[in-house]
Amino acid sequence: MRLRSLVAAAVLAAALPGTAMGGDPARGAALAAERCAACHGADGRSAMPDIPSLAGQQPGFTTLQMILMREGIRRVPAMQPFVEGMPDQDIEDLAAWFASLPPGPPQDRRPRDAALLAAGEALIGPRNCAVCHLPSLAGREQMPRIAGQREEFLARTMAGYRDGRRIGADPQMNGAVAGLSDAEIAALAHYLAQQD
Amino acid sequence: MSMRRFWLGVATALIAGPALAQQPAQAPVPGWAVGRPEGSALAPHAPRLTVTPLAEVPVAAIRLPQGFQAEVFAHGIPGARTMAEGPNGTIFVGTRVIGRVYAVTRNPDGTTRVRTIAQGLTQPNGLVMIGNSLYVLAVNRVLRYDNIEANLDTVPAPVDLTAAFGLPTEQEHGGNHHWKFATLGPDGRIYTNVGVKCNICEFDRDRFALLVSFNPDGSGRRIEARGVRNSVGMAHHPVTRELWATNHGRDWAGNDTPNDTLIRVRRSGEDHGFPFCVGDWRDPQYNAGRNCSEFAQPAALLGPHTAALGMRFYTGTMFPEQYRNQIFLARRGSWNRERLSGYDVLVAHLDAQGNVTRLEEFMTGLRDDANQKFLDRPVDVHVMRDGSLLVSGEQMGAIYRITYRR
């Protein structure tokens, strides 16, 4: 695990122009075991409905979102006690730890629904998902990995962006999902959740 | 701010767009990516919103002309951008994504102390000090913190002037170029920008791409300049009182076109040409047959995609005489260009008639050309009363202080 973390950190450092993110995954592991694992899973793959998996998540995304929550800009009541007053170093260490974990689907992922999968896949291009999340849907920097995420979490998140209950660091996602029907969101969520 | 109002704005914009009405399944690409060529991987650089330890602040990399030195004035200020100084010497610092306003004060031993005096705001980048009151412009919100320097530990609720100013909201901007820069004019008015609501598009030229001024109570809106795509830095000449500003050129029109510009507003209300022209450069898509000579010409070209931001006239006496009343301006650095440009501080040298005679690369070293990396992103400059110059570094959350010794 330590070697993999080091490799992950090296790859990250090379990818970021001039930004040395100082996350220590080993320290993050200890923090995560204490504060995060109960909901987000010991291996970063959430087994709880509506709670996102964080394994393999982009550290820039995890860091940004935790800071937005801590600052009161993104409001998630369940997370508030955990992020309240959390030092930057803890946030960076947690982000580095989750980034070092291999991403993968939750154990309770439901079987593929061919029709839903096809309907979701057909929306990826028109909705320009790959412009930010990359064709692999693994994300980059402050834009999240969405491949293999929990299906109901993806659906709730997209509906939140669509309905104005959620806003990111900028309103790009609100525009990207504007006008989607509940059925289209369900199809997109299924397609994304089925990607590995 | 209300997310519902924001969402309604998005929905309205989408419903109003005729192309989208015919193709309801098609979403717009993000504003920054409109016009991006197939296969291009260029995208805005991610911000860093966590504290950078002092040992990682790249002050040692800074290069200056002979006799000048750089030191770290303050650090641990994630997202530090715009600066405004209070009568008692407090440096207030505005931000964008992290939503905070900081106050930096000096301890008796010369070190600095950083307090967060406001948080949870939407892009509080516009700061202006009038007497003992700090005005914070956070997109369309305008908040006035009275007697602020006496209340840094327990900040009272601000006076809300949002309705009086009536600035366009984030949703009216479509999420583009909605953050503000603000400065106090010699006439006692607040000068600020209203950026364009897209990369480039057709828009109401009396509502967007403007420099505007207001009385401090929000009344008396006046258009100072039209056709200014987005200015995030402006200052008045200390002698002529003319308004000068930096201005960002559009994206996705090539690595080397158009230039960011330095503009000089000789006449209130004059037109600087966006979206039709930048100087004598005709926009390849939006020129609309206009002759570029009909518009005010830039005072200087500041390089393609360099992101020229905060600017101030040097009014101190510490620096050599040749810098007196010259313009120091920060270039935050490019993203919309295959090779990095900017990431430095320039001096625009002016002659007695106010013509720019020379651009000097004053503070360099933060752009690593060999590895195509940057070490920090300068956003604003501020002349201290002792004549030293502060430069904010957004990426590392630091403020550098530049001094001169003969």
Side-chain angles (χ1 to χ4, degrees):
Chain A
M1 190 53 70
R2 173 163 290 271
L3 180 61
R4 180 160 49 209
S5 304
L6 285 173
V7 171
V11 168
L12 172 68
L16 286 174
T19 308
M21 293 270 248
D24 173 354
R27 190 170 171 276
L31 288 169
E34 187 187 319
R35 306 186 196 176
C36 316
C39 294
H40 291 283
D43 60 357
R45 299 189 205 178
S46 163
M48 289 177 69
D50 261 354
I51 304 291
S53 294
L54 300 174
Q57 190 50 277
Q58 297 292 336
F61 173 78
T62 307
T63 302
L64 174 67
Q65 294 302 317
M66 290 185 71
I67 286 179
L68 292 180
M69 288 188 271
R70 185 189 67 190
E71 298 294 315
I73 295 169
R74 177 183 169 197
R75 295 182 186 278
V76 181
M79 280 292 291
Q80 213 54 44
F82 297 96
V83 294
E84 191 97 34
M86 184 180 272
D88 286 0
Q89 191 63 55
D90 289 7
I91 291 176
E92 291 190 339
D93 293 347
L94 284 168
W97 164 246
F98 285 116
S100 75
L101 297 174
Q107 284 187 351
D108 60 344
R109 181 166 71 175
R110 67 162 163 149
R112 290 189 170 206
D113 174 325
L116 207 51
L117 197 76
E121 184 170 19
L123 287 164
I124 294 285
R127 288 282 155 176
N128 295 303
C129 305
V131 170
C132 294
H133 296 281
L134 301 188
S136 66
L137 304 170
R140 71 188 141 117
E141 302 203 13
Q142 80 274 36
M143 285 147 319
R145 166 184 293 278
I146 48 179
Q149 185 54 273
R150 291 192 65 91
E151 185 170 335
E152 78 290 335
F153 176 79
L154 288 167
R156 186 170 61 84
T157 301
M158 285 188 279
Y161 277 120
R162 181 194 63 184
D163 300 339
R165 292 192 306 273
R166 177 154 174 196
I167 189 161
D170 56 48
Q172 306 297 2
M173 265 307 289
N174 303 82
V177 297
L180 282 178
S181 68
D182 287 348
E184 287 172 319
I185 283 179
L188 260 179
H190 185 67
Y191 176 80
L192 295 171
Q194 291 293 331
Q195 306 307 302
D196 292 324
Chain B
M1 89 142 192
S2 129
M3 288 192 228
R4 171 163 299 276
R5 273 171 52 219
F6 163 79
W7 174 76
L8 287 173
V10 170
T12 309
L14 290 174
I15 290 161
L20 289 160
Q22 288 157 18
Q23 291 177 291
Q26 185 74 33
V29 294
W32 61 264
V34 173
R36 181 164 76 162
E38 193 76 28
S40 171
L42 293 178
H45 304 299
R48 176 170 182 175
L49 299 180
T50 49
V51 167
T52 301
L54 181 58
E56 292 174 26
V57 175
V59 65
I62 290 175
R63 297 288 172 263
L64 295 160
Q66 189 156 18
F68 290 92
Q69 301 85 33
E71 63 186 20
V72 176
F73 174 74
H75 66 101
I77 322 168
R81 287 176 58 96
T82 43
M83 295 179 283
E85 185 172 351
N88 298 334
T90 307
I91 302 294
F92 295 99
V93 184
T95 64
R96 283 187 51 194
V97 173
I98 200 167
R100 290 175 171 180
V101 179
Y102 301 100
V104 182
T105 52
R106 283 216 224 212
N107 297 318
D109 67 357
T111 58
T112 51
R113 173 177 179 189
V114 178
R115 293 175 178 88
T116 301
I117 60 160
Q119 66 191 123
L121 298 173
T122 305
Q123 310 219 15
N125 190 67
L127 299 185
V128 59
M129 201 76 207
I130 303 182
N132 293 319
S133 297
L134 174 70
Y135 289 69
V136 175
L137 281 70
V139 189
N140 63 308
R141 287 185 79 191
V142 182
L143 305 172
R144 191 186 76 211
Y145 296 84
D146 292 329
N147 205 18
I148 181 67
E149 284 185 290
N151 294 293
L152 294 178
D153 287 316
T154 48
V155 180
V159 177
D160 193 330
L161 299 168
T162 304
F165 278 78
L167 291 163
T169 59
E170 183 172 0
Q171 58 269 30
E172 287 171 312
H173 272 278
N176 290 295
H177 306 125
H178 47 310
W179 53 98
K180 295 288 176 287
F181 184 90
T183 189
L184 178 64
D187 53 3
R189 291 168 67 84
I190 294 174
Y191 287 72
T192 189
N193 59 304
V194 181
V196 74
K197 58 177 189 169
C198 51
N199 168 28
I200 187 165
C201 58
E202 289 174 13
F203 58 93
D204 182 345
R205 299 185 83 243
D206 289 328
R207 284 202 75 205
F208 294 99
L210 302 171
L211 303 181
V212 291
S213 69
F214 295 89
N215 293 318
D217 64 1
S219 66
R221 175 183 181 268
R222 187 168 74 207
I223 293 178
E224 301 294 344
R226 276 188 183 74
V228 179
R229 181 175 174 273
N230 194 32
S231 169
V232 196
M234 60 193 88
H236 291 80
H237 192 289
V239 177
T240 69
R241 296 161 61 107
E242 279 177 336
L243 175 64
W244 291 65
T246 54
N247 183 27
H248 283 202
R250 63 165 292 191
D251 301 318
W252 308 119
N255 279 325
D256 296 323
T257 49
N259 269 263
D260 285 2
T261 52
L262 178 65
I263 67 171
R264 172 186 182 182
V265 183
R266 293 164 190 261
R267 230 175 358 90
S268 185
E270 69 189 12
D271 194 333
H272 290 258
F274 184 79
F276 314 115
C277 299
V278 177
D280 60 3
W281 182 83
R282 297 157 64 96
D283 192 276
Q285 295 161 291
Y286 286 85
N287 176 259
R290 302 291 284 267
N291 185 338
C292 292
S293 65
E294 68 184 274
F295 302 112
Q297 296 298 299
L301 301 178
L302 299 178
H305 311 296
T306 52
L309 292 168
M311 57 163 284
R312 295 288 192 287
F313 289 87
Y314 183 76
T315 49
T317 54
M318 179 191 282
F319 291 5
E321 180 62 30
Q322 57 165 315
Y323 291 103
R324 199 73 38 81
N325 295 343
Q326 311 297 296
I327 298 170
F328 283 74
L329 65 93
R331 300 196 300 178
R332 182 168 176 257
S334 63
W335 65 267
N336 192 238
R337 192 169 194 273
E338 283 167 37
R339 288 187 68 78
L340 299 182
S341 59
Y343 303 92
D344 54 16
V345 173
L346 299 186
V347 178
H349 290 272
L350 312 179
D351 66 15
Q353 285 70 49
N355 299 309
V356 177
T357 55
R358 181 165 71 94
L359 293 174
E360 174 189 359
E361 291 189 353
F362 178 77
M363 179 178 128
T364 59
L366 296 177
R367 188 185 72 229
D368 175 354
D369 285 332
N371 297 303
Q372 287 298 296
K373 289 186 172 188
F374 59 83
L375 306 180
D376 204 346
R377 309 193 76 180
V379 168
D380 200 9
V381 293
H382 174 76
V383 182
M384 300 277 278
R385 275 168 232 168
D386 67 0
S388 60
L389 184 80
L390 300 183
V391 178
S392 61
E394 181 178 15
Q395 198 75 13
M396 294 300 164
I399 297 175
Y400 306 93
R401 178 168 174 259
I402 297 172
T403 55
Y404 178 78
R405 273 198 305 271
R406 202 181 296 276

